[in-house]
Amino acid sequence: MSSTFGTTLRVTVFGQSHSQAIGCVVEGFPSGIVVDRKRLERFMARRAPGRGSWTTPRKEADLPNFVSGLNMRGATCGAPLCAVIENTNTRSGDYDNLLRVPRPGHADFTAEQKWHGNQDVPGGGHFSGRLTAPLCVAGGIALQYLEERGVHIGAHLLSVGAACDKPFAALDNTERGRKTLERQLEALADGRAFPTLSESAAAAMLNEIDKARQALDSVGGVIECVATGMPAGVGSPMFDGVENAIARAAFGIPAVKGIEFGRGFEAARLRGSQNNDPYRMTSEGAAPQTNNAGGALGGITTGAPVLFRLAIKPTPSISRPQESVDLSANKNEELEIRGRHDPCIAPRAVPVAEAVCALALLDCILSFPAEIQD
Amino acid sequence: MSSTFGTTLRVTVFGQSHSQAIGCVVEGFPSGIVVDRKRLERFMARRAPGRGSWTTPRKEADLPNFVSGLNMRGATCGAPLCAVIENTNTRSGDYDNLLRVPRPGHADFTAEQKWHGNQDVPGGGHFSGRLTAPLCVAGGIALQYLEERGVHIGAHLLSVGAACDKPFAALDNTERGRKTLERQLEALADGRAFPTLSESAAAAMLNEIDKARQALDSVGGVIECVATGMPAGVGSPMFDGVENAIARAAFGIPAVKGIEFGRGFEAARLRGSQNNDPYRMTSEGAAPQTNNAGGALGGITTGAPVLFRLAIKPTPSISRPQESVDLSANKNEELEIRGRHDPCIAPRAVPVAEAVCALALLDCILSFPAEIQD
Amino acid sequence: MSSTFGTTLRVTVFGQSHSQAIGCVVEGFPSGIVVDRKRLERFMARRAPGRGSWTTPRKEADLPNFVSGLNMRGATCGAPLCAVIENTNTRSGDYDNLLRVPRPGHADFTAEQKWHGNQDVPGGGHFSGRLTAPLCVAGGIALQYLEERGVHIGAHLLSVGAACDKPFAALDNTERGRKTLERQLEALADGRAFPTLSESAAAAMLNEIDKARQALDSVGGVIECVATGMPAGVGSPMFDGVENAIARAAFGIPAVKGIEFGRGFEAARLRGSQNNDPYRMTSEGAAPQTNNAGGALGGITTGAPVLFRLAIKPTPSISRPQESVDLSANKNEELEIRGRHDPCIAPRAVPVAEAVCALALLDCILSFPAEIQD
Amino acid sequence: MSSTFGTTLRVTVFGQSHSQAIGCVVEGFPSGIVVDRKRLERFMARRAPGRGSWTTPRKEADLPNFVSGLNMRGATCGAPLCAVIENTNTRSGDYDNLLRVPRPGHADFTAEQKWHGNQDVPGGGHFSGRLTAPLCVAGGIALQYLEERGVHIGAHLLSVGAACDKPFAALDNTERGRKTLERQLEALADGRAFPTLSESAAAAMLNEIDKARQALDSVGGVIECVATGMPAGVGSPMFDGVENAIARAAFGIPAVKGIEFGRGFEAARLRGSQNNDPYRMTSEGAAPQTNNAGGALGGITTGAPVLFRLAIKPTPSISRPQESVDLSANKNEELEIRGRHDPCIAPRAVPVAEAVCALALLDCILSFPAEIQD
């Protein structure tokens, strides 16, 4: 069992939904990073519940306590950083029958197949979406470090159900495209409650979510994430490229069912002459003029924006009765899930995508940088 | 730099397109596997060039020489297995200007950014699609081992350009769906030259490929891959689940730009009530009745087929003139790529998808099995 | 930077001497281990300060708080186990000049060379011997698990300065030797304050330690550790054998400067006919009759006791004035270290050796077991 | 099963004594290293058999064939380097009964416990000392790279049986000590057939070996290895320090039974005031004046020479009859090993120690360098 990823920058996530605490240990942060806690809190707030009609009411502050890894000046000191977030909502008896009747779409059934009753079930245990909070702590620090070095990462909701936002201008790598993208990233950083580029898209998506909730149902979505300013030459061929690294980490976010880079699945319908990115000389040297590749060729960055999309499935917890089984009695059983749940998990997963992107890219920079020319 | 993946079963791929040889080292195969070489050759033949109008003429036999890892009876012996495939087509001067003028869509440019002239350029070097041959050697052995244990893996072309095959029946996990899928896998194993379920789809795809070639162009496609018979409870939460493992390995196949499991990106448009897989008691115990999850929840297998799709971009080598740059002269330059190239790489990538699937799943079985109940 | 070891069973140690807390995350414990806390506390107490004249007075209870990884029954649940030990003695100004004047024998100087002032210095930071407390938490659980499966681990002080204990009877693998060893391990488990086999050795060692303290000095020692009941066939050739695993982990204990297995350095003076362990049939099958190999050949266990010794250097903190430098002023300076320190760290390192042995061997059992015969 | 070590620089060794070939794959060499083959051959020759009365007659040239990893100029190109050494002496029937009657001191018995008859037995299979040849290929390249950067590595025989060489002057880190050590390393590099500092020691050791051979026996020895010029600040606390890395790799050399750094086991008998290394200002900055620590504190280099010693057990193959068992008949049996064997393996292990030291230290430099000051 491993809840760790990364090579030089290694992130381990621990905790269960109802254990005493959740948290992360990060090894390999460069020393001297002074964590801006206010900024980290604002970043964490974006994934916290309670920010609008699409999420459950806020219950916990979810602020991390850094129990190790910082020196007396509050800067990373080279030793492993451990952040702990207390669970105030621990151990309740409400979930006892989850061991017995697995919820469709959750990991209750597979955990039982693996651990035969030893798994910690309440609230989803170690599989809970709550575990993305420590991922955001680690990723939030990586984001701060990267931004100081000119790497900017942002994500938005590209779609919820049938409602779509306009995409990032990241397929156009001319100066014009880059400027548009820059404006888009700045716009997203203005603290908007709902992460879309277009306001009308936000309204349409909120409507999709409302309809799902009213139908005692949930709905999925697509997140688009981009990183600008990545130096060229970062990554590695074959199995340690930036795509491998981001993909491996992204599938650690609960509910992610797909990932694509650049044109992604659309490229399968294109001709080579449409999909290849031509090179031109620019004031900053040779560069691809389009970015259908999504910022990487052969696993190594081109210098164009790293661009990917994540498919987020609809929240598995829905209020409708569902078909399940009673594993102790070996018979079919109808299941009704009580309590409030997000009718769409995608909005709160947007900062998590940014966090994962930052951690994977920073690890690539630290582990597989462009070699220094003698 | 690392061209290795896996935890207990570790595969390292070595070689460049024009180096003396290419090959792989596999650590962690269980001992006692007697490699069926005839069968391995048939499997390798599926990715070899020269099988039809959609590929370049065959040049090399590409048969592996096992220089270590087998005992005197030809069975794996616990020591690392090393397979070597000689390159007959080595070191030519034809490609000298590749260091100078990077081919769009290839890794020439990014390799230069990383290694500043030290990279081995001819034929794509270590980035060449030829490196999938040793991946198929390793995967072909894993496939044989898995099949003896009831795990069957098969893949087909789901689409080429606009032409589509019918999908696997893997979203239906009732007995009926399972039987249909079984028949589909048997049909694919009959040695057909072009890997589709439907003959008319094959014709339409070949037509797409022909049109692309006639236009001095290339075209992309989508591969669908499925594994049946996987025991439930295999995998790990968060970052070492079956999806993480398959995704990390799959992005090691050149030209892969996206991966999705089960309903994948389609799930983003669904309601929870449509996407959740209800459980029912069957003669073999509790099981999900649909398989929108693609065989895994929380990174751990459900016992339903593991199902994923790969987006394959169009072959970057096209015969049309393309815009590029002369990196030594810092000026724009038009590039014309000579020689014959596959107008669509997707058909030959089908067995590679099976190989990667087999290696990733066998590694999950060996590294993260369901625990044994006392 | 990595403070992690292990393959399937991965232990990460975090914390600094004066950070808010220290602790560990352990991934890969089999599920269902019910931690016996009383027993763990007794084990932890053996490395705690304050048990006798050879250590500093006790200050802290050092009891671990399991914030994750246990289910509602207090058993391991498959998710990462995180244990946190609060530091009550945090952040003091006493150590400010350590950044300036490095203590000989400590890591102050090398940390400065690596992190250029960002390191956390007070109390030794992440290099502090205090970090062995979480190592004992992880190892204490591994010891409990192994004992239930018949693997018994014990260690004693073989020497302190010039005073020597009698060695374990572990080089004799006949029934007689095994029984003697069993009695020795039982004797050590009786709760004795000072870990030697012979009482007179304890007195002589205490005398050595007293003399060192009176001379405002410190003294080193040798720890001997043994594991009985290890099944044969565990481990791996070359770089993942039991010796490699134990050695890598053991050098993670501060002050360890050497390790040897079986006859160790003495074997360099022997003839092959003296050092080879002859096999004989016994009531339990074939077995080596002597154990000069220390329980492993080619990295794989023989079934005889795993036996190793660790060289522990004298505590670097001594009360005498020492020669050092002022790194900010670039001039020589005399250093006087204040406060109380153990004049000999070896007695408290004895349980740490057992912990590391248990973790390394359990990882070998989980990662590299003897294959199951079909 | 894993025959791999290293983090950024990863070395995998493959092959069996009588397989078609042996070799290694190295990932992570910086690009642009032009391998000096003549020099590599001279280095390889030091471990080859046939150089004197203490070894078996030379049979094979053992020159590596680089099948991948070099570009057209013969320089490392960033892709994995694979070196293959053909085995001319393959597959013979002479060793058939080894599966039945395990040789004391070899891994025959433990391999049987692990693989139950699937292991490749002839010549020791994957456990053969022959596998140190590819280790010397990888290490020989690392040595060349390090030397160009001012890191010099050398080893000698400190003892064989009771005969001793004088030690390296590496415990004295004053200018005088450093100069003496430099002269010692130069002296060893003069191509002497037998690796000692003193000629009389060589004579005494050869006499020890002769006596052992005449007695149909073998004898062990101690190797001392040193690396000068290592920059300070390299390595990592706890489990990825230079001592952990060297120790893990060194126990991959067959016959190594112990390792110690600096004063090693002797430090256990010393006082802190004797063992601590005082700092003084020198013309090159602050530096320890003695080097009892062996070049590392807290796992991180001090800038003083990295110094360690390896205990090498006597060759297990001896011509005397030995007690063993017949595993198929479950009865005791007397074993006589035929053929010629080195009566002392230690002289040929000297370059292997250098190889392992170079690989471990280069990996530390690449993976855990001193951070760059902004």
Side-chain angles (χ1 to χ4, degrees):
Chain A
M1 216 292 306
S2 163
S3 294
T4 299
F5 72 102
T7 298
T8 298
L9 185 71
R10 292 183 65 81
V11 181
T12 302
V13 174
F14 60 82
Q16 300 111 251
S17 181
H18 289 214
S19 62
Q20 187 181 322
I22 60 176
C24 62
V25 174
V26 188
E27 300 176 273
F29 269 134
S31 77
I33 305 176
V34 180
V35 181
D36 180 336
R37 300 210 186 193
K38 284 287 166 213
R39 192 168 172 185
L40 183 61
E41 283 177 28
R42 285 196 302 272
F43 179 68
M44 299 287 295
R46 288 174 53 205
R47 76 154 286 290
R51 306 212 328 149
S53 62
W54 64 92
T55 74
T56 55
R58 176 191 284 273
K59 288 175 189 155
E60 322 193 4
D62 279 355
L63 294 182
N65 185 14
F66 294 102
V67 302
S68 77
L70 302 180
N71 63 22
M72 294 171 78
R73 296 193 314 275
T76 54
C77 68
L81 181 122
C82 179
V84 173
I85 300 172
E86 297 292 317
N87 276 336
T88 54
N89 181 18
T90 54
R91 305 296 183 212
S92 72
D94 314 14
Y95 294 88
D96 268 3
N97 67 342
L98 290 180
L99 257 182
R100 213 169 39 84
V101 185
R103 294 168 299 173
H106 282 284
D108 303 341
F109 178 73
T110 54
E112 170 64 25
Q113 298 298 315
K114 189 171 188 70
W115 293 302
H116 319 294
N118 289 324
Q119 69 273 22
D120 193 37
V121 181
H126 188 55
F127 299 91
S128 166
R130 210 173 135 56
L131 273 290
T132 57
L135 207 47
C136 282
V137 175
I141 298 173
L143 281 164
Q144 292 183 12
Y145 179 81
L146 287 170
E147 288 211 358
E148 279 184 32
R149 273 142 196 87
V151 179
H152 301 281
I153 293 172
H156 70 116
L157 276 172
L158 188 63
S159 70
V160 166
C164 294
D165 196 10
K166 63 180 167 193
F168 279 131
L171 296 176
D172 175 2
N173 198 39
T174 61
E175 204 183 328
R176 193 166 143 247
R178 291 198 171 221
K179 285 209 167 145
T180 307
L181 180 56
E182 201 179 305
R183 278 195 304 273
Q184 291 175 327
L185 287 174
E186 277 167 15
L188 285 171
D190 70 357
R192 60 189 60 185
F194 199 81
T196 57
L197 292 172
S198 128
E199 280 184 42
S200 62
M205 289 179 188
L206 286 167
N207 189 37
E208 286 273 325
I209 295 171
D210 253 13
K211 283 192 298 180
R213 182 183 28 229
Q214 284 160 16
L216 306 180
D217 215 333
S218 62
V219 65
V222 172
I223 292 168
E224 188 178 47
C225 185
V226 74
T228 65
M230 275 295 288
V234 171
S236 178
M238 304 215 76
F239 308 110
D240 278 325
V242 293
E243 290 149 317
N244 315 68
I246 292 173
R248 188 199 165 187
F251 280 109
I253 307 173
V256 167
K257 297 306 285 185
I259 185 168
E260 58 177 10
F261 290 85
R263 292 290 270 268
F265 277 89
E266 197 192 344
R269 292 188 294 273
L270 296 180
R271 292 280 176 89
S273 60
Q274 298 168 303
N275 190 61
N276 283 349
D277 300 309
Y279 297 105
R280 293 283 89 175
M281 291 307 304
T282 74
S283 58
E284 292 167 8
Q289 294 305 290
T290 56
N291 184 30
N292 298 316
L297 287 170
I300 300 172
T301 51
T302 62
V306 174
L307 174 71
F308 65 93
R309 281 170 293 280
L310 300 177
I312 309 288
K313 72 177 185 185
T315 321
S317 286
I318 55 176
S319 302
R320 294 183 181 196
Q322 295 182 84
E323 292 185 344
S324 187
V325 289
D326 181 327
L327 292 170
S328 61
N330 285 322
K331 62 180 182 61
N332 291 338
E333 182 154 320
E334 194 168 80
L335 173 71
E336 215 163 317
I337 299 176
R338 296 209 185 78
R340 294 194 55 176
H341 299 94
D342 287 3
C344 182
I345 201 70
R348 289 177 57 200
V350 167
V352 184
E354 295 172 10
V356 156
C357 178
L359 291 165
L361 289 182
L362 180 50
D363 186 32
C364 285
I365 289 172
L366 296 172
S367 302
F368 310 110
E371 290 191 1
I372 294 163
Q373 280 182 286
D374 285 331
Chain B
M1 216 288 308
S2 163
S3 295
T4 299
F5 72 101
T7 299
T8 299
L9 185 71
R10 291 183 66 81
V11 181
T12 301
V13 174
F14 60 82
Q16 301 111 253
S17 181
H18 288 214
S19 62
Q20 186 180 321
I22 59 176
C24 62
V25 173
V26 188
E27 301 177 272
F29 269 134
S31 77
I33 305 176
V34 180
V35 181
D36 180 336
R37 300 209 186 192
K38 285 286 166 213
R39 192 168 172 184
L40 182 61
E41 283 177 28
R42 284 197 302 273
F43 178 68
M44 299 288 294
R46 288 173 54 204
R47 78 154 285 291
R51 305 208 333 146
S53 61
W54 64 93
T55 75
T56 55
R58 175 192 284 276
K59 287 175 191 154
E60 322 196 3
D62 278 356
L63 294 182
N65 185 15
F66 293 102
V67 303
S68 77
L70 302 180
N71 62 21
M72 294 171 79
R73 297 193 314 275
T76 55
C77 69
L81 182 120
C82 179
V84 173
I85 300 172
E86 297 291 318
N87 276 336
T88 54
N89 182 19
T90 55
R91 306 294 183 215
S92 71
D94 313 17
Y95 294 89
D96 268 4
N97 66 342
L98 291 180
L99 258 181
R100 214 169 38 84
V101 185
R103 295 167 300 171
H106 282 284
D108 302 341
F109 178 74
T110 54
E112 171 63 25
Q113 298 298 316
K114 189 171 188 71
W115 292 302
H116 317 296
N118 290 323
Q119 69 273 21
D120 194 36
V121 180
H126 188 55
F127 300 90
S128 167
R130 211 174 134 56
L131 273 291
T132 57
L135 208 46
C136 282
V137 175
I141 298 173
L143 281 164
Q144 292 183 13
Y145 179 81
L146 287 170
E147 288 210 357
E148 279 184 31
R149 273 143 195 86
V151 178
H152 300 282
I153 292 173
H156 70 118
L157 276 172
L158 188 62
S159 70
V160 166
C164 295
D165 196 10
K166 63 181 167 192
F168 279 131
L171 297 176
D172 175 2
N173 197 41
T174 61
E175 204 182 329
R176 193 166 143 245
R178 291 197 172 222
K179 285 209 168 147
T180 306
L181 179 56
E182 201 179 306
R183 277 196 304 272
Q184 290 176 327
L185 287 174
E186 278 166 14
L188 285 170
D190 69 357
R192 59 188 63 184
F194 199 81
T196 58
L197 293 172
S198 128
E199 279 184 42
S200 61
M205 289 179 187
L206 286 167
N207 188 38
E208 286 274 326
I209 295 173
D210 253 13
K211 283 192 298 181
R213 183 184 26 229
Q214 283 161 17
L216 306 180
D217 215 334
S218 62
V219 65
V222 172
I223 293 168
E224 187 178 48
C225 185
V226 74
T228 65
M230 275 295 289
V234 171
S236 178
M238 305 216 76
F239 308 110
D240 279 324
V242 294
E243 290 147 317
N244 315 67
I246 291 173
R248 188 199 166 189
F251 279 108
I253 307 174
V256 167
K257 296 307 285 185
I259 185 168
E260 57 178 9
F261 290 85
R263 292 290 270 266
F265 277 88
E266 198 192 343
R269 292 188 294 274
L270 297 180
R271 293 278 176 88
S273 59
Q274 298 167 302
N275 189 61
N276 282 350
D277 300 309
Y279 298 105
R280 292 284 90 175
M281 292 306 303
T282 73
S283 57
E284 292 166 8
Q289 293 306 290
T290 55
N291 184 31
N292 297 317
L297 287 169
I300 301 172
T301 51
T302 62
V306 173
L307 175 72
F308 65 93
R309 280 170 295 278
L310 300 177
I312 309 288
K313 73 178 184 185
T315 320
S317 286
I318 56 176
S319 302
R320 292 184 183 195
Q322 295 183 84
E323 291 185 344
S324 186
V325 289
D326 181 327
L327 292 170
S328 62
N330 285 322
K331 63 179 183 59
N332 291 337
E333 182 154 321
E334 193 168 82
L335 173 71
E336 214 162 317
I337 298 176
R338 297 210 184 77
R340 295 194 56 177
H341 299 93
D342 287 4
C344 182
I345 201 70
R348 288 177 56 200
V350 168
V352 185
E354 296 172 9
V356 156
C357 177
L359 290 166
L361 289 182
L362 179 51
D363 186 32
C364 285
I365 289 173
L366 296 172
S367 302
F368 310 110
E371 289 192 2
I372 293 163
Q373 280 182 286
D374 286 331
Chain C
M1 215 289 309
S2 164
S3 295
T4 298
F5 72 103
T7 300
T8 299
L9 184 73
R10 292 183 65 81
V11 181
T12 301
V13 174
F14 60 82
Q16 302 110 251
S17 180
H18 289 214
S19 62
Q20 186 180 323
I22 59 176
C24 62
V25 173
V26 188
E27 301 177 272
F29 270 134
S31 77
I33 305 177
V34 181
V35 181
D36 180 337
R37 299 209 187 194
K38 284 287 167 214
R39 191 168 172 184
L40 182 61
E41 284 178 27
R42 284 197 303 272
F43 179 68
M44 299 288 294
R46 287 173 54 203
R47 76 154 284 292
R51 308 212 325 149
S53 61
W54 64 94
T55 74
T56 55
R58 175 191 284 275
K59 287 175 191 156
E60 321 194 4
D62 278 355
L63 294 183
N65 185 14
F66 294 103
V67 303
S68 78
L70 302 180
N71 63 21
M72 294 171 78
R73 297 192 313 275
T76 55
C77 69
L81 181 122
C82 179
V84 174
I85 300 173
E86 296 292 317
N87 275 335
T88 53
N89 181 18
T90 55
R91 305 299 184 210
S92 72
D94 314 14
Y95 294 89
D96 268 4
N97 66 342
L98 289 180
L99 256 182
R100 213 169 38 84
V101 184
R103 294 168 300 171
H106 282 284
D108 302 342
F109 179 73
T110 54
E112 170 64 25
Q113 298 298 315
K114 189 171 189 69
W115 293 303
H116 317 297
N118 289 324
Q119 69 273 22
D120 193 37
V121 182
H126 188 54
F127 299 91
S128 166
R130 211 173 135 55
L131 273 291
T132 57
L135 207 47
C136 282
V137 174
I141 298 173
L143 281 164
Q144 293 183 14
Y145 179 80
L146 287 171
E147 288 210 359
E148 279 183 31
R149 274 142 195 87
V151 179
H152 300 282
I153 292 173
H156 70 117
L157 276 172
L158 188 63
S159 70
V160 167
C164 294
D165 196 11
K166 63 181 166 192
F168 279 131
L171 297 175
D172 176 2
N173 198 38
T174 61
E175 204 183 328
R176 191 164 145 249
R178 291 199 172 222
K179 284 208 168 146
T180 306
L181 179 57
E182 200 179 305
R183 277 196 304 273
Q184 290 175 328
L185 287 173
E186 278 167 15
L188 285 171
D190 69 358
R192 60 188 62 184
F194 199 81
T196 57
L197 292 173
S198 126
E199 280 185 41
S200 62
M205 289 179 187
L206 287 168
N207 188 38
E208 287 273 326
I209 296 172
D210 253 14
K211 283 192 299 181
R213 183 181 29 227
Q214 284 161 16
L216 306 180
D217 215 332
S218 63
V219 65
V222 172
I223 292 169
E224 188 178 47
C225 184
V226 74
T228 65
M230 275 295 288
V234 171
S236 178
M238 304 214 75
F239 307 111
D240 278 326
V242 293
E243 290 148 316
N244 314 67
I246 292 173
R248 189 198 165 189
F251 280 108
I253 307 173
V256 168
K257 296 306 284 185
I259 185 168
E260 57 178 11
F261 290 84
R263 292 289 271 267
F265 277 88
E266 196 192 345
R269 292 188 294 273
L270 297 181
R271 292 279 176 90
S273 59
Q274 297 168 304
N275 190 61
N276 283 350
D277 299 309
Y279 297 106
R280 294 283 89 176
M281 292 307 302
T282 73
S283 56
E284 291 167 10
Q289 293 305 291
T290 55
N291 184 31
N292 297 316
L297 287 169
I300 301 173
T301 50
T302 61
V306 173
L307 174 71
F308 65 92
R309 281 171 293 279
L310 300 176
I312 309 288
K313 73 178 185 184
T315 320
S317 286
I318 56 177
S319 303
R320 294 183 181 197
Q322 295 182 84
E323 291 185 345
S324 187
V325 289
D326 181 327
L327 292 170
S328 63
N330 284 322
K331 62 179 182 62
N332 291 336
E333 182 154 322
E334 193 169 81
L335 173 71
E336 215 164 316
I337 298 176
R338 297 210 185 76
R340 293 194 56 177
H341 298 93
D342 287 3
C344 182
I345 201 71
R348 289 176 57 200
V350 167
V352 184
E354 295 172 10
V356 155
C357 177
L359 291 165
L361 289 181
L362 179 51
D363 186 33
C364 285
I365 289 172
L366 296 172
S367 301
F368 309 111
E371 289 192 1
I372 294 163
Q373 280 182 286
D374 284 330
Chain D
M1 217 288 308
S2 163
S3 296
T4 298
F5 72 101
T7 299
T8 299
L9 184 72
R10 292 183 64 81
V11 181
T12 302
V13 174
F14 61 82
Q16 301 111 251
S17 181
H18 289 214
S19 62
Q20 186 181 322
I22 59 177
C24 61
V25 173
V26 188
E27 300 176 273
F29 270 134
S31 77
I33 306 176
V34 180
V35 180
D36 181 336
R37 298 209 187 195
K38 284 287 165 212
R39 192 169 171 183
L40 183 61
E41 284 177 28
R42 284 197 303 272
F43 179 67
M44 299 289 294
R46 287 174 53 204
R47 76 154 286 291
R51 306 213 327 149
S53 60
W54 64 93
T55 75
T56 54
R58 176 192 282 274
K59 286 174 193 155
E60 322 194 4
D62 279 356
L63 294 183
N65 186 15
F66 294 102
V67 303
S68 78
L70 302 180
N71 63 20
M72 294 172 79
R73 296 193 313 276
T76 54
C77 68
L81 182 122
C82 179
V84 173
I85 300 172
E86 296 292 317
N87 276 335
T88 53
N89 181 18
T90 55
R91 304 297 184 215
S92 71
D94 315 15
Y95 294 87
D96 268 5
N97 66 343
L98 290 180
L99 257 182
R100 214 171 36 85
V101 184
R103 293 169 300 172
H106 281 284
D108 302 341
F109 178 73
T110 54
E112 170 64 25
Q113 298 298 316
K114 189 171 189 69
W115 293 303
H116 317 297
N118 289 323
Q119 69 273 21
D120 194 37
V121 181
H126 189 55
F127 299 91
S128 166
R130 212 174 134 55
L131 273 289
T132 57
L135 206 48
C136 281
V137 174
I141 299 172
L143 281 164
Q144 292 182 14
Y145 179 81
L146 287 171
E147 288 211 358
E148 279 184 32
R149 273 141 195 87
V151 179
H152 300 282
I153 292 173
H156 69 118
L157 276 172
L158 188 62
S159 69
V160 166
C164 294
D165 196 11
K166 62 182 167 190
F168 279 131
L171 297 175
D172 174 3
N173 197 40
T174 61
E175 204 182 330
R176 194 167 141 245
R178 289 196 173 224
K179 285 210 168 145
T180 306
L181 179 56
E182 200 178 305
R183 277 196 303 273
Q184 290 175 327
L185 286 174
E186 278 166 15
L188 285 171
D190 69 358
R192 59 188 63 184
F194 199 80
T196 58
L197 292 172
S198 128
E199 280 184 41
S200 62
M205 290 179 186
L206 286 168
N207 187 38
E208 286 273 325
I209 296 172
D210 253 13
K211 282 192 299 180
R213 182 184 27 229
Q214 283 161 16
L216 307 180
D217 215 334
S218 63
V219 65
V222 172
I223 292 168
E224 188 178 46
C225 185
V226 74
T228 65
M230 276 294 289
V234 171
S236 179
M238 304 214 75
F239 308 110
D240 279 326
V242 293
E243 290 148 315
N244 314 68
I246 291 173
R248 188 199 166 189
F251 280 108
I253 307 173
V256 168
K257 296 306 285 185
I259 186 169
E260 58 178 9
F261 290 84
R263 291 289 271 267
F265 277 89
E266 197 192 344
R269 292 188 295 274
L270 297 181
R271 293 278 176 89
S273 59
Q274 297 168 303
N275 189 63
N276 283 350
D277 299 309
Y279 297 105
R280 293 283 88 175
M281 291 307 302
T282 73
S283 57
E284 291 166 9
Q289 293 306 289
T290 55
N291 184 30
N292 298 316
L297 287 169
I300 300 172
T301 50
T302 61
V306 173
L307 174 72
F308 65 93
R309 281 171 293 279
L310 300 177
I312 310 288
K313 73 178 184 183
T315 320
S317 285
I318 56 176
S319 302
R320 293 184 182 196
Q322 294 182 85
E323 290 185 346
S324 186
V325 289
D326 181 328
L327 292 170
S328 63
N330 284 323
K331 63 181 182 60
N332 291 337
E333 182 155 321
E334 193 168 82
L335 173 71
E336 214 162 318
I337 298 175
R338 296 209 185 77
R340 293 194 56 176
H341 298 94
D342 286 4
C344 183
I345 201 70
R348 290 177 55 200
V350 167
V352 185
E354 295 172 11
V356 156
C357 177
L359 291 165
L361 289 181
L362 179 51
D363 186 33
C364 285
I365 289 172
L366 297 172
S367 302
F368 310 110
E371 290 191 2
I372 293 162
Q373 279 182 287
D374 284 331

